[in-house]
Amino acid sequence: MESCKPMETPLAGDWRKEDATSREVVEATIYRQLVGSLMYLVNTRSDLCYAVNQLSQEMVRPTKLYWKATKHVLRYLRGTTQYKLWYR
């Protein structure tokens, strides 16, 4: 995802819009690892809270729809690497 197109929002407004392939189940282990990494990142990137919350609701049997949404969050991160919170 290093050369991906950056996104301006963490999650698209109509991301739950389903098509015929959106119900296909994807590899759960990789999905869980990725969402877990995003959960860790929420500590310094509060703009991801809603998106990570939505993605974490489908940890048992993630579908292609949730996988696409997760990749959207990664593209958002690619475009906003300068955003962060500093705790003193």
Side-chain angles (χ1 to χ4, degrees):
M1 302 273 316
E2 289 181 12
S3 61
C4 65
K5 175 183 166 190
M7 295 300 214
E8 295 181 1
T9 59
L11 202 55
D14 62 346
W15 75 275
R16 288 189 187 229
K17 187 176 179 181
E18 296 186 24
D19 59 1
T21 62
S22 64
R23 294 190 185 266
E24 293 178 24
V25 178
V26 297
E27 178 64 37
T29 305
I30 297 170
Y31 181 81
R32 288 183 197 130
Q33 290 173 347
L34 184 55
V35 173
S37 298
L38 291 173
M39 285 179 182
Y40 181 75
L41 190 60
V42 166
N43 291 325
T44 57
R45 296 286 306 265
S46 59
D47 54 338
L48 299 175
C49 283
Y50 176 76
V52 174
N53 177 345
Q54 294 296 305
L55 297 175
S56 67
Q57 293 179 10
E58 194 73 18
M59 296 291 263
V60 176
R61 292 192 64 202
T63 60
K64 207 173 217 182
L65 176 69
Y66 280 82
W67 182 250
K68 284 179 174 178
T70 306
K71 290 193 330 188
H72 184 99
V73 173
L74 292 177
R75 288 193 300 269
Y76 171 74
L77 287 172
R78 181 69 178 150
T80 60
T81 55
Q82 73 280 6
Y83 292 3
K84 58 187 157 225
L85 287 177
W86 288 94
Y87 293 106
R88 292 183 183 202

